[in-house]
Structures are given as structure tokens and as C-alpha cells.
Amino acid sequence: MKRAHYAVDHIGVAVLDLDQSIAHYKELFGFELYNREKLVSAGVEVAFLDTGNTFLELLVPLSSDSTLGKYMQQRGESLHHVCYEVNDIERELERFRGLGVRLLDEIPRPGAHHSRIAFLHPKDTGGVLTELCEYP
Ligand code: CO
């Protein structure tokens, strides 16, 4: 069987407290912190933990009225999204648009560690919020 070429770049998990969650994952699995940054325009602070073959992205909302803040008021701490790395994010967005997938980001925006990212609507991706990312 021919495999598709979408490597999982990271799995996003919504958390309430970054410091606590970083420490918890370190205690449970020994995951090391790879980087941590505030994405102010997205209303989140993120921490990437290296699991060995992918990353875990812990996300905490910067305010309760942000998109993630509202999400967490309903869902609490939970699995949030899956991110696939792509080589040409504009071409992928065009392709998904052609398939009738609703794009939460019509054009890519800045993501963590200098990536460009875009989200696809979970209703069109099997109920899973899906992120695409491209690295320079
Ligand atoms: Co992400």
C-alpha cells in the first residue's frame, strides 16, 4: 500500500497550567521541553515537548475570551488538534479548498518556531481539528 506523505509534526493538548503540565509530562514520560513561546496574535502560550519521534504541543489560553479559552470552558484539559507537516502549505490549502474542506485560515499565519500554519475545520476532517505547518 502506498503511504501518504503527511508526517505528524505534533499533537496539541489544551492545558490549564503550562508549568504544571510540563512538569507532569516530564514526571510521567521523561519528555524534555523543546521550546516555549507566546503566540500573542493566536491568544496562546505553547510549550513543545520532545517525545522522541514527534512533539507534544501544550497550549494554554492567554485569556479566557480567546478561542482556546472558550474551548477550554467547555472541554477543560483535552486533546486539541493534530498537526501535519507539509512542504507547500499554499498548495495544500488550495487542494483542501477544492475538496470542500472549510479552512479556518484562508492564508497561512505565523506559528511556533518560525513555521507557517493553517487550521482546517474539524467538521470536515472527521471531527479532529487539523493543523498544517510548513517550516522554512
Ligand atoms: Co499546533
Side-chain angles (χ1 to χ4, degrees), residues 10 48 57 81 83 119 131:
H10 63 264
F48 281 76
E57 178 188 33
H81 66 271
C83 178
F119 282 91
E131 178 183 5

